[in-house]
Amino acid sequence: MSTLIPCIIAGGAGARLWPVSREATPKPFMRLPDGDSLLQKTFARAAALKDVERLLTVTNREVFFRTLDDYRPLNQTRIELDFILEPFGRNTAPAIAAAALHVSQRYGADAQLLILPADHLIKDVAAFVAAVDNARPLAEQGRLVTFGLVPTHAETGFGYIEKGQALNDHSFQVRRFIEKPDAATAQRYVEGGQHLWNGGMFCMRADVILQELREFVPQVLSAVEHCLERSYRKEGPHELQVELESDSFAQAPDISIDYAVMERSKKVAVVPCQLGWSDIGSWQAVRELIPADEQGNQCTGETVLHEVSNCYIDSRQRLVGAVGLDNLIIVDTPDALLIADGKRSQDVKLIAQELKRLGHDAYRLHRTVNRPWGAYTVLEEGPRFKIKRIEVKPGASLSLQMHHHRSEHWIVVSGMARVINGEDELLLDTNESTFIKPGRPHQLSNPGVIDLVMIEVQSGEYLGEDDIVRFNDLYGRAPITPGTR
Amino acid sequence: MSTLIPCIIAGGAGARLWPVSREATPKPFMRLPDGDSLLQKTFARAAALKDVERLLTVTNREVFFRTLDDYRPLNQTRIELDFILEPFGRNTAPAIAAAALHVSQRYGADAQLLILPADHLIKDVAAFVAAVDNARPLAEQGRLVTFGLVPTHAETGFGYIEKGQALNDHSFQVRRFIEKPDAATAQRYVEGGQHLWNGGMFCMRADVILQELREFVPQVLSAVEHCLERSYRKEGPHELQVELESDSFAQAPDISIDYAVMERSKKVAVVPCQLGWSDIGSWQAVRELIPADEQGNQCTGETVLHEVSNCYIDSRQRLVGAVGLDNLIIVDTPDALLIADGKRSQDVKLIAQELKRLGHDAYRLHRTVNRPWGAYTVLEEGPRFKIKRIEVKPGASLSLQMHHHRSEHWIVVSGMARVINGEDELLLDTNESTFIKPGRPHQLSNPGVIDLVMIEVQSGEYLGEDDIVRFNDLYGRAPITPGTR
């Protein structure tokens, strides 16, 4: 059998899971109750397959370092990591075209791609492994193999796949793909046994999907081919990054792989499977993962409830007192609170869309902002001051930088810091502090083996994140540029 | 006419207005949309009366400095302030007994008391002044005059007063006091025109109420007399404080003035009045003060709403996104969030009671804690560190103190600080910082004329508020004691 390359495709922002999922921390990074992210679950699932030596991830370049951070603790077997880094989302057809071109060029035209969305959940990993085992020989024969999830209820939020003639004991031709049905139709599908959910997972040879893309959407393939030629490559000992060039990637039509190829190709097959699958598409889907108490409530964090039933309450930092509520979804984060009728969990995306339209920070960012070197959290802002907690990973450094208008007081509360402050270089231990004057080039790094946690008090007349001059940057960001550190 | 002494009586915690009203910041301190507190409104109302030269306040000793802070900007005419400071609440009969004894001893047995609850709202101050003018001659004649509010709706949450024979054009004898009625009875009362709300305001001569207390509840009067003899008095140029002694005050029965005297005395009269009165007894009552938008929503702070109607949303620091809600009360504070069915606003007290039972901080304290010298706010706590914003009023000082286990970093972000740090004394300007080692006696004061705002980062193994040794204290607190600053 030819080589199998799992391709994790990280797509949309998960607007229906606002305020936890946001543009800069999209749905794949959402943590489940066991502490793992959806992305980590997806990686672990791919790593559980036989003979996986390399794995390709197609994701936004903004989340590259976070993706590495999520993979690192799971990658004990040292799977080689390839990344295709998108400047912006362009739907699944261009992403899969780029993946197929990359795999074909690098691992052979007959290498198989296993397309895995980064933000779905599969509870039964053994069943998943078995389904992939069933799909691979079909892919080898030149089929575009979809995984059809046996419906557990009359869901109106998914597309369906209608089975055709049996190909063998565990696979079928596909009669047709069907868009989201109405409730009555969905009910008939569940009862009829001929329809399966389309979960967006595929197994196929690189040359086969490329051929179909060329036939049905040649402009997608040619735009992505052109883009890949112009893209920046960076190869490390265990990682390869392909950073897609923006202008040429923007030429690729925004179209899904279903619409571009699957609904038209004669080569599509489906492997029905029961995987304990969920797309975690809304807070309602998140609820289904968590046991409820006798009143039907699902609470994380501190609550005092009086005559409250069937409510989902997630508030990790703030006490919630509630009186006389039924079937509400309440999700509290440090800067934004969601309260929604449980029956309306799909409409949460309307709030996220409105925030996007307004250009509101709460659409894009969390109070805690992840950076290649760690993270920072704005604790408080006021006239002439801003207080941040800064966490720097062991061995990591911020850029050498300078601010014109603000001074910074740094107090180490955990770990050890190495500080360059103008001409001086010093080590600050826990409970020590220093002071950076405006105009003074400075750099912070963590020379230790545990996280450095520091409180920074900025003061000055102007405290915008754009008052920064960067002199160097370990993470390949622009050498001198306005931007956040 | 004899002297009139308005007596502002600050009572219960306002548990139905949790999480804004809490034990240490009770309902009189709650701010109205115009920025004034209910207590300030009450003071201004008393000051609007003719010939008021002194005003007595009966309140908890814990809120004495905050009460002074609230009065100060309003007391342009330099009304002399007497305070009776309770160690704990003991209902209205002991409070009014103490007020009457104090007024009688100090301003004459025939001086009149005008009892004003500290946490009600009266919109029509001119009508209030007129009602007091009507009450005073009756009080002079030896009546216990109540103010009966003409009902505007069939309220089941108040007691009622039934009018008896007319005494003159604008006053009546009282046939009886009636406990909170059911809805049908309340409706009859409104339509019948013979019943008035009992708002807890009274006008009466000190000697008359003392005589009635002696007749009906002699044990209340004797316990309070004994307590006053043992109490600590402190007289300043414009203020007199009587701090009630705990053990003897605890001997006074916990009983309301209505139950102790008003429902039994033959001397009671009532002056009907229309004052635009509200007891602000629940979030529903707060709602009635604020205009609603076209959807019936009343929002303070940033909101993004989709199909939300008739909701009260008060969230000053956090964005609220809401979907598909009707008639909810949502009140967000830095550490606690209330979400209640609008029809159940009375039941909010059950949440507060449960928090009290649990000994939870969110019953007693806000994230911002007021002190005689200003206030502090815990911004963040973590292992081995705690960050506070400290505000010190112009001219104020904290005690000279020392901590065994923690060091403190101080950064001035606004104003000017005078710091004693061991042997050293220094001035810190905005944007300057200093460091206090464990074991070092230190003192912080504000020598300037604007507020000093400082960020304090504490670090150390133990950061409890009880790691403090106080060497002096300007505010008469124990010289060396565990406690909060």
Side-chain angles (χ1 to χ4, degrees):
Chain A
M1 192 91 66
S2 58
T3 309
L4 180 76
I5 311 287
C7 301
I8 296 179
I9 309 274
R16 283 172 296 184
L17 294 168
W18 185 87
V20 168
S21 171
R22 304 194 189 180
E23 190 179 74
T25 311
K27 193 180 144 201
F29 296 101
M30 198 166 116
R31 303 275 147 187
L32 296 169
D34 68 3
D36 285 352
S37 68
L38 288 169
L39 179 62
Q40 287 181 316
K41 293 283 188 210
T42 307
F43 183 90
R45 195 149 68 231
L49 296 169
K50 289 186 261 305
D51 305 325
V52 170
E53 291 173 8
R54 44 182 49 91
L55 179 145
L56 171 62
T57 304
V58 185
T59 192
N60 191 289
R61 65 186 181 202
E62 290 292 324
V63 297
F64 168 61
F65 287 98
R66 292 203 66 188
T67 303
L68 272 186
D69 286 347
D70 265 20
Y71 287 173
R72 195 172 293 118
L74 303 178
N75 196 4
Q76 303 303 334
T77 55
R78 285 281 194 156
I79 294 171
E80 306 279 320
L81 299 176
D82 290 13
F83 288 91
I84 293 176
L85 300 176
E86 297 179 322
F88 38 77
R90 207 69 188 158
N91 215 328
T92 46
I96 289 173
L101 285 165
H102 175 80
V103 165
S104 166
Q105 286 160 17
R106 205 163 166 99
Y107 307 111
D110 67 342
Q112 293 182 10
L113 288 85
L114 176 67
I115 303 294
L116 301 173
D119 55 359
H120 294 174
L121 187 65
I122 286 175
K123 284 190 190 154
D124 189 344
V125 174
F128 167 75
V129 171
V132 173
D133 281 345
N134 290 336
R136 291 198 62 191
L138 294 165
E140 187 83 356
Q141 294 160 23
R143 294 276 181 182
L144 304 177
V145 188
T146 67
F147 296 84
L149 301 146
V150 178
T152 55
H153 61 271
E155 173 66 51
T156 58
F158 305 148
Y160 285 70
I161 298 170
E162 187 177 330
K163 291 190 283 192
Q165 277 197 304
L167 289 168
N168 58 26
D169 281 358
H170 44 253
S171 68
F172 298 82
Q173 289 187 327
V174 168
R175 179 157 297 147
R176 56 182 181 130
F177 283 80
I178 300 158
E179 306 249 324
K180 298 173 184 176
D182 60 30
T185 310
Q187 189 58 44
R188 278 209 319 279
Y189 289 170
V190 176
E191 289 161 8
Q194 293 303 304
H195 293 81
L196 302 158
W197 289 340
N198 177 8
M201 292 185 287
F202 308 102
C203 184
M204 54 214 179
R205 274 198 348 237
D207 53 358
V208 178
I209 183 68
L210 288 172
Q211 187 186 318
E212 298 298 87
L213 285 162
R214 186 162 291 117
E215 180 170 344
F216 297 116
V217 282
Q219 65 283 31
V220 169
L221 193 62
S222 61
V224 174
E225 274 174 327
H226 180 62
C227 173
L228 274 173
E229 281 161 21
R230 299 164 60 92
S231 293
Y232 169 81
R233 271 156 208 274
K234 185 175 163 190
E235 193 152 1
H238 298 288
E239 288 155 26
L240 168 70
Q241 300 169 45
V242 179
E243 196 169 320
L244 298 183
E245 194 272 330
S246 298
D247 290 346
S248 52
F249 192 58
Q251 301 304 313
D254 184 316
I255 181 172
S256 75
I257 194 71
D258 293 318
Y259 191 69
V261 174
M262 299 298 164
E263 296 179 9
R264 310 193 209 177
S265 170
K266 302 291 177 217
K267 299 181 179 170
V268 184
V270 62
V271 172
C273 43
Q274 291 177 289
L275 308 179
W277 176 91
S278 165
D279 79 331
I280 315 288
S282 66
W283 287 110
Q284 185 56 40
V286 173
R287 294 188 71 155
E288 286 161 12
L289 305 177
I290 304 171
D293 68 15
E294 283 176 15
Q295 285 72 44
N297 295 315
Q298 301 159 301
C299 300
T300 306
E302 215 178 358
T303 55
V304 177
L305 309 181
H306 177 71
E307 298 189 11
V308 169
S309 51
N310 306 308
C311 283
Y312 175 84
I313 304 180
D314 182 351
S315 176
R316 285 146 208 251
Q317 301 196 314
R318 220 177 321 282
L319 168 72
V320 177
V323 176
L325 308 180
D326 183 56
N327 197 18
L328 289 188
I329 290 166
I330 299 164
V331 181
D332 189 40
T333 67
D335 60 340
L337 167 67
L338 169 72
I339 306 175
D341 180 353
K343 299 185 293 299
R344 306 286 294 275
S345 67
Q346 298 292 330
D347 290 344
V348 172
K349 69 166 181 275
L350 301 174
I351 303 294
Q353 283 168 359
E354 176 64 8
L355 290 170
K356 183 177 185 178
R357 195 185 67 76
L358 295 169
H360 198 290
D361 259 2
Y363 172 73
R364 208 163 63 80
L365 296 175
H366 277 282
R367 185 72 64 89
T368 294
V369 178
N370 287 83
R371 291 285 152 201
W373 42 261
Y376 71 85
T377 305
V378 175
L379 299 181
E380 183 159 0
E381 283 184 77
R384 293 181 52 88
F385 75 96
K386 186 191 279 187
I387 306 170
K388 288 182 178 176
R389 184 187 54 227
I390 296 175
E391 293 176 48
V392 185
K393 291 185 272 197
S397 284
L398 282 69
S399 58
L400 180 67
Q401 54 189 238
M402 186 266 276
H403 314 291
H404 290 107
H405 302 293
R406 67 181 189 243
S407 57
E408 296 181 342
H409 295 261
W410 290 352
I411 300 154
V412 176
V413 295
S414 179
M416 165 78 80
R418 176 179 291 126
V419 176
I420 294 173
N421 185 357
E423 302 293 298
D424 305 327
E425 179 164 346
L426 62 156
L427 285 173
L428 285 187
D429 204 349
T430 299
N431 202 19
E432 296 182 333
S433 60
T434 191
F435 171 70
I436 316 285
K437 287 189 185 167
R440 189 83 71 93
H442 57 279
Q443 183 165 32
L444 175 65
S445 41
N446 178 358
V449 295
I450 60 168
D451 281 355
L452 160 65
V453 182
M454 219 184 62
I455 301 302
E456 174 180 279
V457 181
Q458 301 177 357
S459 55
E461 276 177 64
Y462 180 75
L463 301 170
E465 295 287 354
D466 57 349
D467 174 18
I468 185 168
V469 178
R470 283 211 191 101
F471 299 102
N472 67 7
D473 191 78
L474 291 173
Y475 306 99
R477 296 174 298 178
I480 301 183
T481 183
T484 311
R485 290 184 183 275
Chain B
M1 191 92 61
S2 57
T3 309
L4 180 76
I5 311 285
C7 301
I8 296 179
I9 309 275
R16 283 172 296 185
L17 294 169
W18 185 87
V20 168
S21 172
R22 303 193 190 180
E23 191 180 72
T25 310
K27 193 178 144 201
F29 296 102
M30 197 165 115
R31 303 276 148 186
L32 295 169
D34 68 3
D36 285 353
S37 68
L38 287 169
L39 179 64
Q40 287 181 317
K41 294 283 187 210
T42 307
F43 183 91
R45 197 150 68 231
L49 296 169
K50 290 187 261 306
D51 305 325
V52 170
E53 290 173 10
R54 44 183 48 91
L55 177 145
L56 170 63
T57 304
V58 184
T59 192
N60 190 287
R61 65 185 180 200
E62 290 291 323
V63 297
F64 169 62
F65 286 98
R66 292 204 67 188
T67 303
L68 272 186
D69 286 346
D70 265 20
Y71 287 173
R72 195 172 294 118
L74 303 177
N75 195 5
Q76 303 303 334
T77 54
R78 286 278 193 155
I79 294 171
E80 307 277 323
L81 300 176
D82 290 11
F83 288 90
I84 294 177
L85 300 175
E86 297 179 324
F88 39 78
R90 208 69 189 158
N91 214 330
T92 46
I96 289 173
L101 285 165
H102 175 81
V103 165
S104 165
Q105 285 160 17
R106 202 158 168 102
Y107 307 112
D110 67 341
Q112 292 182 11
L113 289 85
L114 176 68
I115 303 293
L116 301 172
D119 56 359
H120 294 174
L121 186 65
I122 287 175
K123 284 190 189 152
D124 189 344
V125 173
F128 166 76
V129 171
V132 173
D133 281 344
N134 289 336
R136 292 198 61 190
L138 293 165
E140 188 84 356
Q141 294 159 24
R143 295 275 181 181
L144 305 176
V145 187
T146 68
F147 296 84
L149 301 147
V150 178
T152 55
H153 60 272
E155 172 66 50
T156 58
F158 304 148
Y160 284 71
I161 299 170
E162 186 175 331
K163 290 189 282 192
Q165 276 197 306
L167 289 168
N168 59 25
D169 282 356
H170 43 254
S171 68
F172 297 83
Q173 288 187 327
V174 168
R175 177 157 298 145
R176 55 182 181 132
F177 283 80
I178 301 159
E179 305 250 325
K180 297 172 184 176
D182 61 29
T185 310
Q187 189 57 44
R188 279 209 319 278
Y189 289 170
V190 175
E191 289 161 6
Q194 293 303 305
H195 293 80
L196 302 159
W197 290 338
N198 176 9
M201 293 184 287
F202 307 101
C203 186
M204 53 215 180
R205 272 197 352 234
D207 53 358
V208 176
I209 183 66
L210 289 172
Q211 186 186 319
E212 298 299 86
L213 285 164
R214 186 161 291 118
E215 179 168 347
F216 297 116
V217 281
Q219 67 281 35
V220 170
L221 192 62
S222 62
V224 174
E225 273 176 328
H226 180 62
C227 173
L228 274 174
E229 280 162 21
R230 301 164 58 92
S231 294
Y232 169 80
R233 273 156 205 274
K234 186 174 163 190
E235 193 150 2
H238 298 291
E239 288 154 26
L240 169 69
Q241 298 168 46
V242 180
E243 197 169 319
L244 297 183
E245 195 270 331
S246 297
D247 291 346
S248 51
F249 192 58
Q251 302 303 314
D254 183 317
I255 182 172
S256 76
I257 193 72
D258 293 318
Y259 191 68
V261 174
M262 298 300 165
E263 297 180 8
R264 311 194 207 178
S265 169
K266 303 290 177 216
K267 298 181 178 171
V268 183
V270 60
V271 173
C273 42
Q274 292 179 290
L275 306 179
W277 176 91
S278 165
D279 79 331
I280 315 288
S282 66
W283 287 110
Q284 187 54 40
V286 173
R287 295 188 70 157
E288 285 161 12
L289 305 177
I290 304 171
D293 67 16
E294 283 175 16
Q295 284 72 43
N297 295 314
Q298 300 159 300
C299 300
T300 306
E302 216 178 357
T303 54
V304 177
L305 309 181
H306 177 68
E307 297 188 11
V308 169
S309 52
N310 306 309
C311 283
Y312 175 84
I313 303 180
D314 182 350
S315 176
R316 285 149 208 249
Q317 299 196 316
R318 219 175 323 280
L319 168 72
V320 177
V323 176
L325 308 179
D326 184 55
N327 198 18
L328 289 187
I329 291 166
I330 298 164
V331 181
D332 189 40
T333 67
D335 61 341
L337 167 67
L338 170 71
I339 306 175
D341 179 354
K343 300 184 293 297
R344 306 285 294 275
S345 67
Q346 298 292 329
D347 291 344
V348 172
K349 69 166 182 277
L350 301 174
I351 302 294
Q353 283 166 0
E354 176 65 7
L355 290 170
K356 183 176 186 178
R357 194 186 68 76
L358 295 170
H360 197 290
D361 259 2
Y363 172 73
R364 208 165 63 81
L365 296 174
H366 276 281
R367 186 70 66 89
T368 294
V369 177
N370 287 82
R371 292 283 151 201
W373 43 261
Y376 72 84
T377 305
V378 176
L379 299 181
E380 184 159 0
E381 283 185 77
R384 294 182 53 87
F385 74 95
K386 187 190 277 187
I387 306 171
K388 287 182 177 176
R389 185 187 51 227
I390 295 175
E391 293 176 47
V392 185
K393 291 185 272 196
S397 284
L398 281 69
S399 57
L400 180 66
Q401 55 190 240
M402 187 266 278
H403 314 293
H404 291 106
H405 303 292
R406 67 180 188 244
S407 57
E408 296 182 341
H409 295 260
W410 290 352
I411 301 155
V412 175
V413 295
S414 180
M416 167 78 81
R418 177 179 290 128
V419 176
I420 294 172
N421 184 358
E423 302 293 297
D424 305 327
E425 179 163 346
L426 63 157
L427 286 172
L428 286 186
D429 205 349
T430 299
N431 201 19
E432 295 182 335
S433 60
T434 192
F435 170 71
I436 316 285
K437 287 188 186 168
R440 190 82 73 91
H442 57 277
Q443 183 165 33
L444 175 65
S445 43
N446 178 359
V449 295
I450 60 168
D451 281 355
L452 161 65
V453 182
M454 218 183 62
I455 301 301
E456 174 180 279
V457 180
Q458 303 178 356
S459 54
E461 277 176 63
Y462 180 76
L463 301 171
E465 295 288 355
D466 57 349
D467 174 19
I468 185 168
V469 178
R470 285 209 191 101
F471 299 101
N472 66 11
D473 191 79
L474 291 172
Y475 306 99
R477 295 173 300 177
I480 300 182
T481 184
T484 309
R485 289 184 183 278

